[in-house]
Amino acid sequence: MENQIKYRIIKSLSQYNEYCNIHESLMLKDENKHIDEIELLELLIEDFDQRQEKEKNEKLNPVELLRSLLSESIIS
């Protein structure tokens, strides 16, 4: 009997959006009942966000990176 993995590391924007929608629907249903699944989705979503931010920063030249960091600190 082969077990299927329900969730995987997010590798695309469409998968990211799908997981965000699932997360939202579970939160609206019964957060306590689905807490483990919700927490797993949050980890996967956060990981994708961090990887995207890292890729974005790697593509910026130093001046663009500084501007990006400054704008983020002003917003926060």
Side-chain angles (χ1 to χ4, degrees), residues 11-67:
K11 296 181 181 171
S12 69
L13 187 56
S14 62
Q15 183 184 13
Y16 173 85
N17 290 331
E18 176 187 349
Y19 284 16
C20 287
N21 290 335
I22 293 169
H23 178 268
E24 183 178 1
S25 68
L26 291 174
M27 293 288 289
L28 294 173
K29 285 182 183 176
D30 184 356
E31 183 177 345
N32 293 327
K33 183 178 176 185
H34 301 284
I35 191 68
D36 289 337
E37 191 170 357
I38 289 169
E39 289 176 344
L40 175 59
L41 285 165
E42 287 172 352
L43 286 172
L44 293 169
I45 290 166
E46 183 178 340
D47 173 68
F48 181 81
D49 286 337
Q50 289 175 351
R51 286 186 286 122
Q52 293 302 303
E53 186 66 27
K54 183 179 177 185
E55 283 181 24
K56 175 183 147 191
N57 288 338
E58 287 174 353
K59 292 178 184 176
L60 297 176
N61 69 41
V63 174
E64 290 173 330
L65 178 58
L66 183 57
R67 284 183 181 146

